Amino acid sequence: SGTVFVIAGYNAGVNYFFSSADEATDTRLMIFLSQTHGTDRITINERNNNVADRLYGSTDLSGEGNVLLTYESAGTISSYNLEVDNNDETMTIDSGSNSGDWFEDVSNRDNIVMGGLKRTAEQGFPADEGLCVIYPAILSAADKATAKAILLT
């Protein structure tokens, strides 16, 4: 389980904010990104040698400029949560399910990349990333508010 905060300047199209993957294969990865689904939306993509779980939010990020994105999961089914600028996102499942899988659920990851993705080949569609913070737990509402206040100062 955990929480990832990303502060980034948004660019249209695919933006890899943070990823962790297996460099020897395309079948094991954890990606926090934005992706086009009719409009540009916050997306989480996880795959552990199975069907990719890909969910995206409801806010169109086009023209948003700097955004605070929050990705979190309790590591259990249906526990992914996405936020844009302190607003909970209504999530749509693009493929797979809301498995809630987190870093420890994806085996053989051997890298962590900010602003890109490295699997069998490097992919860089970087956002203008300012900061990425990872907490190894789901934060209480009060702790999450405190963390966001600190990040935005």
Side-chain angles (χ1 to χ4, degrees):
S1 65
T3 305
V4 175
F5 296 105
V6 175
I7 298 175
Y10 183 74
N11 297 311
V14 176
N15 290 263
Y16 290 113
F17 299 115
F18 178 85
S19 69
S20 182
D22 178 358
E23 293 182 21
T25 179
D26 287 340
T27 62
R28 299 180 194 285
L29 51 88
M30 188 85 193
I31 311 170
F32 305 94
L33 70 155
S34 65
Q35 191 169 351
T36 302
H37 300 280
T39 59
D40 296 332
R41 299 171 189 262
I42 184 175
T43 305
I44 188 167
N45 189 353
E46 175 274 332
R47 186 170 183 191
N48 189 28
N49 205 30
N50 55 10
V51 174
D53 293 332
R54 188 176 311 111
L55 297 89
Y56 60 91
S58 51
T59 301
D60 180 0
L61 297 174
S62 302
E64 284 292 313
N66 289 329
V67 290
L68 170 61
L69 307 174
T70 306
Y71 301 84
E72 61 186 352
S73 175
T76 58
I77 292 182
S78 297
S79 66
Y80 286 133
N81 184 51
L82 304 173
E83 295 177 13
V84 174
D85 290 334
N86 295 319
N87 298 309
D88 284 333
E89 293 290 286
T90 300
M91 293 184 295
T92 299
I93 297 173
D94 189 40
S95 74
S97 66
N98 184 345
S99 69
D101 285 352
W102 203 242
F103 295 99
E104 63 270 15
D105 300 312
V106 180
S107 58
N108 298 329
R109 293 175 303 100
D110 50 16
N111 68 33
I112 294 176
V113 179
M114 292 181 62
L117 169 64
K118 184 164 183 0
R119 299 184 291 185
T120 54
E122 291 184 33
Q123 294 177 314
F125 299 95
D128 296 327
E129 190 157 343
L131 184 62
C132 179
V133 177
I134 303 167
Y135 288 91
I138 293 289
L139 302 179
S140 69
D143 288 344
K144 191 165 30 171
T146 300
K148 288 178 180 179
I150 291 168
L151 292 170
L152 293 172
T153 57

